[in-house]
Amino acid sequence: MLKAAIIGMGRMGVTHFSILNNHPDVEFVSICDSSNFILKNFNKQIGIDVYTNYRKLIDKSNLDFIIVCTPTSSHAPIVKYSLEKGIHVFVEKPFTLTVAEGQELVALAEENKLVNQVGYVNRFGEVFCEVKKQITDGLIGDLIHFKFEMYGPTVTRPTKASWRSKKREGGGCLYDFSSHCVDLINYYLGMPDKAVGSILKKIYSEGVEDAVYTNFVYKSGVTGQLMANWSDTSFRKPLYKIELQGKKGKIVADQHAYKVFLMEANEEKGFEKGWDTRYVTDFSQDVRFYVRGNEFTRQLDYFVDCILGKEKNDTSTFADALVTDQIIESIIKDYEERTNK
Amino acid sequence: MKLDRIIFGDNQFFGINHMSEEKAQAQAQKFKDVDSIIKVVDTAYDCGIRAFMFNTHDKVAHVCDHFRANPERYADISLYPSMPYAHKYAHAVNEKGMTGALNDILIKGNSAKQIVTAVKRGFSAVTKKDMAEMMKLLIDAEMKMFRGLNVKVIFLQNIVTDLLYGLGFKNILREYADYITEEYNVEPGFITLNLPGLVDFLIECGIENPIVCSGINKIGYLMNSDRESYEEAIQNKPFRPMAMSILASGAVPPREAVEYITSQKNIRSIVFGASSKAHIEETKNMIEQLGDTIPMELSRSVPEWSRGQVTGNRDRIPTASPKTPNRIIEIPREKNSNRGVSIENH
C-alpha cells in the first residue's frame, strides 16, 4: 500500500483525493491546506491527519508519494522539498513560474530516480490521444500548419478575489488556462523554434491577461497558431478546438470527437476519402472510478502504476512540462520585446 | 411511493450534449428563451408524460413559475429536481471565492428580511465550519424554485454524489438523505457515473433501498467500472435503479437502446430527453411496447420513509392540485431562531 498526501486542497486537490481514495494500492494519510474549513471537515469526516505546514506534513507522514495542488508560485519549493526527501511527486499544471526552477527540479527528480508527473490531463484524454496516434502514424501526412483554440467563461467580469488574477502567484490566462493548450502543442509537435506576433490581452482582469494569441514557427517549416481566451461567455465550459493540416489531409478535434478529411481513403485505418468522423463513444474506455472526467482518473492511475513499476514514466513528466514552460516563456518574451515592456 | 416509468429529462434545453459541441450549441440557441422550453414540455405532457426531471438551472425557475401559474394545465405533473447546477457554482467560486459565492447564492431571490436570516445562518455555518449545515442552506436555496409544486424525488447531481463517494464522506451523504426526507417530505435520489460502487457505499451509509440514477446503455459508455458490473448490480443489489443516457449520446439507435434497457428487468424508470414531438412519441411508445413488464416494486425490504410515511413535518399543507395530495414542496420552516429560512411567496 502506497502512503500518500495532498498539499493544497482546492478544487483540484479535492478532486484528486476523491479519485485516488478508493484506489486499491493507495492510502491517504495526510493533507495540508491553509483553509481551516477544509482541514476541520476532512478530519471530522474521515479522520485524516491535517497540517497547515507542508514541511511538517512531509517530515511526519512517511510518504511514498505526494500530490501538489497549490497556486503555481509555490510549486517549486514544495516539489523540491519532497524530492529531497525521496518522495514521488505529482504536481498540478503549470509546472513552475520560471524555467530555471523547473530545470533544477527535473535534475533533482532524475538524480533521485523518482517518478514525476505534471497534471497536463489532456495527454490522458481519449480524443487527444487518438489524434496524437493518427498524426504519429502519418494519417494526414507531413504536417503543414496547426491552429489550437481554447475558450471558456472562467473570468467574466472584473475581479481581484482569487489567486488566478495575481500574476506573481501564477494567475492569468497564459499560465493558468492556455498552458493546457500549449502543452498539447508540445505533446503533438514539441518545442517550436520561436513564437512571433504574440498578444497578451486584458479584457476584465487588471493585473493579468485574459486572452493569448500567438504564432509558432518550427525549423521543419511547420507553422501554427494558438488562440486562448478565458473570458468568452459564449461557452458553457472550457472548449478546445484543434485543427492540424497535413499534406494528405486534415484533422479537426474537440474533447468529444474528431473529424478527418483525407484526399485519398486510408483503408488500413478505415477512413473514407473526404470527411469522416470518429466520436468518443467509438473508442471510450471506462475507468475504475469517475469524477469530473475519465482522463483525470487515467492520469492518476498512470502515476500510481509508474510508482509500482507497471508503467514507464514517459509522458507528462517534469521534463515534458518544462518544455511547455519554455514555450510559455517564449510567448512572454516575444510579447515584451515587441511592446518594449 | 411509486417512481414514474417514463421521466422526461432536460439536458437538451441547456446545451448539454456529450457527443458534439456543435449540437450542444445549436440546442442552446434553440432553447434560448423559456417559452421554447415550455413548448417542448407541453408536447411531452400532451403525449401523456407526467414526470419531468429538472436541474436547478436559472431558466427552470421560470418554467416552475409557469407551472404554478397554470395549476389546472399541469394538474398531474410530478417533478424530479436534481441539484446543484454545478456550472453556476463553479462560476461564482472562480469569480468571488467560496464565501462570496455562498453569500450570492443565499441572497438571490430573498427579501431583505430573509437575507438577514439566510446570511446569519450562512455566517454561523461558515464560522462553525459546518459542512452539513452549509449543504442544507444550499439545498434550501436551490429548492426555492420548486415551491408549491409536486416533487417526488430530489436528486444530488453526479458531480457531488461521486465526489462525496470518492472522498468517503458518509455522514454528508447520509445528512443529505435525512434532510431531504425530513424537511422536504420526499425521497432522496443520487445520480452517479459509478453505479455499482455507489450503491454499496450508500448502503454502508445506512441509506436503504436508495434511488440511484445513472447512464445505462448497451455499449457501456460512461458506465464505470464496466457494463457487466452495472448489470450485476441491477440484478442483485437492493436499490431502485433509474436509467438515463440510454442512447449513449446517439451512439445506440433508439430501438436497440430501449430493447437493452427494458431487458434489465429491475430498472424502475427511464429518463430521456428529446426536442421534437415525433421523437418524444416514438421513444415513449417504444418504452411502453417493449417494456410492458413492470419491475418488482415491493419485493425487497423497503424502509418506512421510502414509502412516503415520513416522520417529521406532518403539518405541511398541500398547495397544488388535490389530485396530487402528497409531496408538495414547502420550504422548511424555522425550528429555532437561527435555523431555517422562512420563505413565503412574495
Side-chain angles (χ1 to χ4, degrees):
Chain A
M1 195 66 108
L2 300 172
K3 285 201 162 66
I6 297 188
I7 314 284
M9 291 292 281
R11 199 160 42 151
M12 283 322 302
V14 169
T15 302
H16 291 327
F17 192 102
S18 177
I19 290 171
L20 280 184
N21 194 33
N22 283 329
H23 193 293
D25 298 312
V26 175
E27 182 196 0
F28 278 115
V29 292
S30 48
I31 56 169
C32 175
D33 200 90
S34 57
S35 155
N36 277 331
F37 179 83
I38 288 284
L39 298 182
K40 186 181 168 185
N41 279 290
F42 268 79
N43 180 261
K44 184 179 163 192
Q45 294 297 330
I46 52 173
I48 194 164
D49 288 345
V50 298
Y51 294 85
T52 50
N53 180 316
Y54 74 85
R55 286 192 177 86
K56 271 190 194 160
L57 177 148
I58 291 168
D59 292 345
K60 289 187 178 174
S61 298
N62 191 24
L63 299 172
D64 292 295
F65 74 83
I66 199 158
I67 296 179
V68 181
C69 307
T70 53
T72 315
S73 59
S74 60
H75 286 178
I78 301 173
V79 172
K80 188 177 176 201
Y81 195 75
S82 306
L83 293 173
E84 283 169 349
K85 300 282 175 179
I87 299 166
H88 304 291
V89 178
F90 178 99
V91 58
E92 257 311 325
K93 52 66 47 182
F95 185 29
T96 60
L97 285 185
T98 67
V99 167
E101 285 172 327
Q103 282 166 334
E104 188 188 355
L105 299 177
V106 169
L108 195 55
E110 272 172 23
E111 195 182 308
N112 292 355
K113 296 191 169 46
L114 293 165
V115 173
N116 53 89
Q117 192 174 329
V118 178
Y120 283 117
V121 68
N122 286 326
R123 293 185 183 229
F124 298 86
E126 288 163 313
V127 174
F128 296 132
C129 287
E130 278 283 310
V131 171
K132 163 82 173 166
K133 190 174 179 310
Q134 302 300 9
I135 296 167
T136 310
D137 292 353
L139 179 69
I140 55 169
D142 292 338
L143 292 179
I144 303 166
H145 188 75
F146 64 85
K147 187 171 79 180
F148 281 32
E149 297 167 85
M150 186 182 181
Y151 305 107
T154 310
V155 175
T156 55
R157 66 188 76 162
T159 174
K160 290 176 188 170
S162 147
W163 66 269
R164 290 190 166 77
S165 58
K166 293 174 187 127
K167 194 167 187 159
R168 63 189 158 76
E169 291 191 40
C173 176
L174 177 60
Y175 270 106
D176 192 48
F177 188 79
S178 80
S179 56
H180 271 304
C181 219
V182 174
D183 185 67
L184 273 180
I185 293 170
N186 176 23
Y187 181 45
Y188 289 160
L189 295 113
M191 175 88 186
D193 190 39
K194 56 182 172 179
V196 293
S198 307
I199 297 167
L200 301 179
K201 202 181 192 81
K202 288 189 178 77
I203 300 172
Y204 299 114
S205 300
E206 283 174 25
V208 292
E209 73 289 336
D210 297 305
V212 179
Y213 305 107
T214 191
N215 306 288
F216 296 114
V217 180
Y218 286 76
K219 279 183 183 142
S220 62
V222 177
T223 52
Q225 289 157 328
L226 166 70
M227 286 173 269
N229 179 346
W230 75 359
S231 295
D232 190 334
T233 49
S234 69
F235 295 90
R236 195 177 66 96
K237 57 182 183 180
L239 173 97
Y240 295 87
K241 195 175 164 199
I242 64 175
E243 198 173 307
L244 294 131
Q245 183 154 28
K247 286 186 177 164
K248 293 184 192 169
K250 184 193 252 187
I251 295 179
V252 182
D254 60 25
Q255 295 106 306
H256 308 295
Y258 70 99
K259 284 193 269 191
V260 178
F261 179 88
L262 290 183
M263 289 153 75
E264 297 298 333
N266 184 322
E267 282 171 20
E268 189 194 336
K269 282 184 166 284
F271 282 92
E272 292 169 11
K273 182 179 172 177
W275 287 105
D276 204 349
T277 304
R278 294 288 181 275
Y279 294 101
V280 68
T281 43
D282 297 337
F283 46 83
S284 176
Q285 296 285 319
D286 292 321
V287 289
R288 172 183 60 74
F289 171 75
Y290 181 113
V291 64
R292 285 188 64 182
N294 52 17
E295 64 273 28
F296 287 97
T297 306
R298 236 178 262 120
Q299 98 173 329
L300 286 180
D301 283 4
Y302 170 80
F303 175 67
V304 171
D305 283 347
C306 288
I307 296 172
L308 295 171
K310 295 178 185 172
E311 287 277 1
K312 202 173 155 210
N313 187 199
D314 63 0
T315 190
S316 219
T317 59
F318 285 4
D320 290 328
L322 178 63
V323 174
T324 300
D325 281 352
Q326 284 169 330
I327 302 174
I328 290 173
E329 270 200 8
S330 75
I331 297 170
I332 297 171
K333 195 169 158 246
D334 174 56
Y335 172 71
E336 289 181 345
E337 278 174 5
R338 201 168 46 76
T339 54
N340 293 320
K341 279 197 175 174
Chain B
M1 195 268 300
K2 193 173 185 304
L3 295 168
D4 291 271
R5 179 66 169 157
I6 297 174
I7 298 171
F8 196 71
D10 69 344
N11 270 356
Q12 70 278 15
F13 299 142
F14 307 120
I16 300 168
N17 186 300
H18 302 291
M19 186 86 124
S20 150
E21 200 55 40
E22 273 170 38
K23 271 188 204 166
Q25 283 177 9
Q27 283 172 338
Q29 199 175 342
K30 185 171 174 185
F31 295 109
K32 207 160 50 178
D33 62 279
V34 176
D35 288 347
S36 57
I37 296 174
I38 291 170
K39 211 172 151 191
V40 176
V41 168
D42 282 350
T43 306
Y45 198 87
D46 293 340
C47 286
I49 293 173
R50 291 292 177 266
F52 293 81
M53 188 180 252
F54 281 115
N55 195 193
T56 50
H57 192 286
D58 286 345
K59 280 182 193 164
V60 171
H62 299 295
V63 177
C64 288
D65 289 341
H66 176 76
F67 291 153
R68 271 187 296 272
N70 299 280
E72 284 176 16
R73 170 79 168 101
Y74 304 103
D76 302 325
I77 203 164
S78 294
L79 301 180
Y80 292 70
S82 70
M83 67 169 74
Y85 179 65
H87 289 285
K88 187 167 66 185
Y89 288 90
H91 253 171
V93 173
N94 267 345
E95 290 196 341
K96 303 197 167 173
M98 200 73 96
T99 317
L102 184 67
N103 277 338
D104 264 16
I105 289 155
L106 297 181
I107 287 167
K108 204 172 177 190
N110 282 336
S111 71
K113 190 182 160 197
Q114 291 158 353
I115 289 169
V116 172
T117 322
V119 171
K120 217 193 273 175
R121 199 176 149 204
F123 184 71
S124 162
V126 170
T127 49
K128 285 187 198 151
K129 304 182 178 31
D130 187 338
M131 205 173 192
E133 195 55 33
M134 274 173 69
M135 173 186 72
K136 291 172 189 174
L137 274 165
L138 294 176
I139 293 171
D140 292 349
E142 294 274 90
M143 281 307 294
K144 261 184 304 191
M145 65 174 74
F146 297 101
R147 66 189 177 274
L149 297 170
N150 176 36
V151 168
K152 274 197 174 172
V153 179
I154 300 174
F155 282 96
L156 198 57
Q157 277 287 356
N158 57 285
I159 181 73
V160 179
T161 305
D162 289 331
L163 191 71
L164 292 171
Y165 160 42
L167 296 175
F169 281 17
K170 285 184 184 172
N171 286 338
I172 301 288
L173 276 172
R174 176 63 199 238
E175 291 235 25
Y176 171 79
D178 289 348
Y179 190 69
I180 295 298
T181 310
E182 289 163 14
E183 296 292 320
Y184 286 90
N185 199 9
V186 303
E187 292 215 48
F190 302 88
I191 302 176
T192 181
L193 283 135
N194 305 286
L195 181 139
L198 179 77
V199 169
D200 291 343
F201 189 74
L202 291 175
I203 292 167
E204 279 173 37
C205 293
I207 301 167
E208 289 180 64
N209 197 25
I211 298 169
V212 181
C213 182
S214 192
I216 305 178
N217 54 69
K218 194 182 175 179
I219 60 167
Y221 179 55
L222 293 181
M223 294 166 73
N224 305 289
S225 52
D226 53 50
R227 197 186 78 178
E228 290 69 31
S229 61
Y230 265 61
E231 289 172 354
E232 199 272 331
I234 290 165
Q235 187 68 34
N236 299 317
K237 290 183 180 171
F239 76 111
R240 286 168 286 171
M242 290 174 61
M244 60 200 297
S245 306
I246 64 169
L247 302 177
S249 294
V252 186
R255 192 170 184 88
E256 273 181 47
V258 174
E259 274 170 358
Y260 173 73
I261 284 299
T262 50
S263 73
Q264 303 295 311
K265 294 298 178 198
N266 288 336
I267 291 176
R268 308 297 170 99
S269 301
I270 298 164
V271 185
F272 81 93
S275 305
S276 72
K277 188 179 180 206
H279 279 141
I280 296 169
E281 267 181 348
E282 185 194 3
T283 311
K284 178 177 178 281
N285 292 341
M286 223 185 291
I287 294 169
E288 286 171 347
Q289 283 159 17
L290 294 169
D292 53 355
T293 321
I294 303 298
M296 295 178 287
E297 195 56 48
L298 290 169
S299 62
R300 295 167 177 152
S301 151
V302 179
E304 279 289 282
W305 57 261
S306 72
R307 286 185 222 130
Q309 294 167 16
V310 273
T311 47
N313 298 286
R314 293 186 183 88
D315 57 346
R316 286 169 202 284
I317 302 158
T319 55
S321 155
K323 284 184 185 171
T324 53
N326 58 358
R327 300 179 190 86
I328 303 302
I329 281 299
E330 290 271 303
I331 302 303
R333 295 171 182 201
E334 288 187 61
K335 279 180 181 163
N336 53 46
S337 57
N338 62 357
R339 165 72 194 81
V341 190
S342 169
I343 308 290
E344 313 293 337
N345 273 323
H346 287 272

